[in-house]
Amino acid sequence: MDATSKPHKIPPVMALYAERHNIFQLMQGLAEALLLQQPPEPINFMIDHLKKDNDEVPRVFIMGPPASGKTTIARWICKHLSATYLCPQQLVSLKLLKRSREAMAYQANEQVVPDHLWASLLEERLNDVDCVKLGWVLDGFPETRKQALRLQSVGIAPRHVIVLHAPDMVLVERNLGKLIDPVTQEVYHTTFDWPIDFTVQKRLVRPEGISEQATAKRILESHRNIPGLLQTYQTNHKAINADQPCVDVFAQALSFVQSRPHSEAPFVPRVLLLGPPGSGKSLQAALLNQKYGLVNISFGDLLREKVAAGTPLGDLIKPSFESGYPVSDSIVLHVLKDRLTQDDCLTYGWVLHGFPRDADQADIIKHTGYEPNRVFLLNLPIEVAMQRVCQRATDPISGERYHTIFKPPTDEEVHRRLRRNPRDRPEQVESKADFYNRQVAELEEYYEDSIFLNADQDPYTIFEYIESCLVKPLPVTAL
């Protein structure tokens, strides 16, 4: 392959295989694991690493000042993702760990547990089957940059780091009202989160060392340490304001944990826009073309171009246009494959709209070898579609498009010469929308990873969401 010429003529099946099986991410994960663990037998280590098949399981640190909600959020994430909950006190009390007694001796003598001992306990715990297979969430550790660097030195690196923060007065108020269930270790509060079960109420206890002065001291210490921790995990942390309802904090934390880290894998967008008439497919395609250079392919326009060019293929398409019958699948396959294999599509990517109309046509795209890697379904009520389409018109002189409600012409002369496309008649639009609604269930099933969008909103809001799904990896919803 000549590295000086582009586009590289890589067979499409190779690119599809790499994307479908995350080949680049797999190799990146292997390289990271090798550099972190530095095993004496790299080949055997890579084989064992691949057998674990745990590259997508959560590995999360949750940090923040006291009473910021670390334990609650950590336990909720563990319940939602079936991950293993970890905390420093749990590591010390777990007698199966080789050095837990040593750590307990330090605490019994009211001495600080050394950082190297914490790292040893955590390293041993993370090698257990539940942490390897299900992933883990570590609550309240590390507390200092020194501890974080120590963890890095033994190869413990989180994929996501959540840092909770809130005003000091809120933290003090929360901490002074904190109560713990000694059986389940669930955290409650006298004001904000009182348990409904009377049995649980009776057995709640106040944690040791809870006072206004002690709380203020711990908050101050946290403020001193957080900047160093953020510097250590500057590329994979998210700060979340904990001074809001707990469910909102959890929603933000969960969304972050399910997001994928940035990948250096080559990515050429192949976007498919599906939706009824008036859902804004043409506008979104134009915006993607304008900002990212994606080739804008309107399938209807593509067929009309072939007819207008007078090519032999256009002569085969023309009778279908005149009779109103669909173009045969063999011709469609030839036209589509010819366009998608051109250099601009291979180099910059493409956005296709107006095709497919059903699952059989979706299969045609698959046979071209260039399947879409992002599919967006634009949903729109029929009433809104009728309003958008049936009241639009075009100025035959300037080519400018207008709408009687959203964009009426200001010039009376322009208003008089406006012409409406016969395809925008109410009965035509209703027929197309009805056909789409009958086929959309099959399309949703065919493109099981498709992204649903509400098209009844500002088009630039829709574009921002589409844009975010292109520039960032899709979240891991199967965790």
Side-chain angles (χ1 to χ4, degrees):
M1 182 186 297
D2 183 4
T4 62
S5 63
K6 281 190 176 182
H8 301 316
K9 298 296 183 179
I10 302 175
V13 290
M14 291 174 60
L16 288 173
Y17 180 84
E19 288 180 11
R20 188 178 296 115
H21 297 283
N22 297 317
I23 298 299
F24 292 98
Q25 291 85 347
L26 188 67
M27 300 307 294
Q28 183 177 332
L30 274 175
E32 289 176 356
L34 280 171
L35 293 174
L36 286 170
Q37 302 293 337
Q38 300 178 12
E41 297 289 340
I43 302 299
N44 293 333
F45 173 82
M46 286 191 289
I47 293 173
D48 292 338
H49 181 82
L50 291 173
K51 285 181 178 179
K52 291 178 182 177
D53 190 27
N54 66 343
D55 285 337
E56 298 293 353
V57 299
R59 299 198 298 268
V60 185
F61 284 176
I62 298 188
M63 304 182 297
S68 57
K70 302 184 294 297
T71 301
T72 301
I73 298 302
R75 288 188 177 277
W76 284 11
I77 290 176
C78 288
K79 289 179 182 178
H80 192 86
L81 301 180
S82 300
T84 304
Y85 173 79
L86 302 175
C87 68
Q89 192 55 43
Q90 183 194 72
L91 296 174
V92 174
S93 60
L94 195 60
K95 296 179 180 180
L96 294 176
L97 300 180
K98 295 177 182 178
R99 303 185 67 180
S100 62
R101 290 185 179 180
E102 185 180 347
M104 291 175 70
Y106 274 102
Q107 290 190 343
N109 296 326
E110 297 184 354
Q111 294 178 324
V112 177
V113 179
D115 293 342
H116 68 85
L117 184 52
W118 281 124
S120 177
L121 290 170
L122 188 58
E123 183 181 15
E124 185 180 353
R125 181 68 180 90
L126 293 183
N127 285 325
D128 289 345
V129 176
D130 57 345
C131 292
V132 172
K133 290 295 184 183
L134 302 176
W136 45 266
V137 179
L138 180 58
D139 169 19
F141 195 85
E143 296 180 332
T144 66
R145 175 172 166 80
K146 186 178 179 182
Q147 291 175 344
L149 294 176
R150 186 72 188 186
L151 294 182
Q152 286 185 347
S153 68
V154 296
I156 299 174
R159 183 176 287 115
H160 299 93
V161 176
I162 297 171
V163 182
L164 303 176
H165 63 89
D168 291 351
M169 292 301 295
V170 174
L171 297 173
V172 172
E173 183 183 1
R174 284 185 181 179
N175 209 42
L176 294 179
K178 183 187 295 184
L179 296 170
I180 293 180
D181 182 350
V183 177
T184 64
Q185 297 301 313
E186 290 284 345
V187 178
Y188 295 95
H189 195 278
T190 55
T191 304
F192 307 119
D193 186 19
W194 189 247
I196 300 174
D197 192 333
F198 183 70
T199 306
V200 176
Q201 295 177 16
K202 290 179 62 177
R203 67 179 184 231
L204 292 181
V205 297
R206 187 176 296 277
E208 296 181 3
I210 295 290
S211 68
E212 188 170 349
Q213 186 177 2
T215 301
K217 183 178 179 181
R218 291 175 58 199
I219 291 174
L220 179 60
E221 188 177 352
S222 175
H223 288 335
R224 290 171 178 165
N225 291 323
I226 286 295
L229 290 169
L230 295 181
Q231 185 180 1
T232 308
Y233 302 112
Q234 55 185 324
T235 60
N236 62 338
H237 83 271
K238 180 179 178 63
I240 300 177
N241 179 17
D243 186 18
Q244 53 182 320
C246 199
V247 291
D248 294 337
V249 177
F250 170 68
Q252 295 177 50
L254 181 64
S255 176
F256 175 62
V257 169
Q258 290 182 317
S259 66
R260 292 175 183 263
H262 175 69
S263 172
E264 299 298 335
F267 177 71
V268 178
R270 300 189 299 276
V271 182
L272 181 60
L273 299 177
L274 300 173
S279 56
K281 302 185 295 293
S282 299
L283 176 58
Q284 298 303 325
L287 292 173
L288 289 170
N289 169 262
Q290 180 181 7
K291 185 164 185 177
Y292 293 102
L294 274 61
V295 179
N296 183 357
I297 303 176
S298 169
F299 188 71
D301 292 344
L302 188 62
L303 294 178
R304 284 186 281 273
E305 287 173 9
K306 294 292 183 183
V307 173
T311 61
L313 194 60
D315 292 338
L316 295 175
I317 299 172
K318 190 174 181 179
S320 298
F321 275 17
E322 293 173 348
S323 63
Y325 287 103
V327 181
S328 68
D329 289 349
S330 59
I331 297 176
V332 166
L333 178 62
H334 187 85
V335 171
L336 203 56
K337 190 170 185 178
D338 178 65
R339 185 66 189 94
L340 298 181
T341 53
Q342 291 182 21
D343 287 351
D344 56 350
C345 289
L346 296 175
T347 305
Y348 304 110
W350 45 264
V351 50
L352 173 65
H353 52 105
F355 188 89
R357 301 179 66 194
D358 52 41
D360 292 335
Q361 290 186 342
D363 210 42
I364 292 176
I365 300 180
K366 187 174 183 179
H367 286 128
T368 65
Y370 290 91
E371 293 182 68
N373 48 27
R374 295 290 188 275
V375 179
F376 296 95
L377 283 162
L378 304 174
N379 297 321
L380 190 71
I382 182 63
E383 300 81 10
V384 180
M386 296 284 287
Q387 184 186 60
R388 285 185 179 182
V389 178
C390 299
Q391 299 188 47
R392 63 189 182 188
T394 305
D395 181 358
I397 296 179
S398 65
E400 185 75 17
R401 297 181 69 175
Y402 295 93
H403 193 280
T404 56
I405 297 176
F406 305 120
K407 188 185 175 183
T410 55
D411 192 327
E412 183 63 29
E413 184 178 348
V414 173
H415 185 272
R416 284 197 300 268
R417 66 179 183 233
L418 289 181
R419 296 292 182 270
R420 292 185 179 176
N421 194 316
R423 291 178 298 174
D424 292 346
R425 292 197 301 268
E427 59 272 15
Q428 290 270 30
V429 176
E430 194 170 358
S431 174
K432 290 179 182 178
D434 183 59
F435 179 84
Y436 173 80
N437 290 330
R438 290 199 307 270
Q439 304 297 328
V440 69
E442 289 186 7
L443 290 170
E444 290 174 9
E445 185 177 351
Y446 191 92
Y447 295 114
E448 55 185 13
D449 294 328
S450 56
I451 301 163
F452 294 84
L453 290 171
N454 175 20
D456 189 15
Q457 55 182 324
D458 181 74
Y460 292 96
T461 302
I462 300 172
F463 176 70
E464 286 177 4
Y465 188 83
I466 292 176
E467 183 180 26
S468 69
C469 294
L470 292 181
V471 299
K472 296 180 182 178
L474 293 179
V476 186
T477 55
L479 279 177

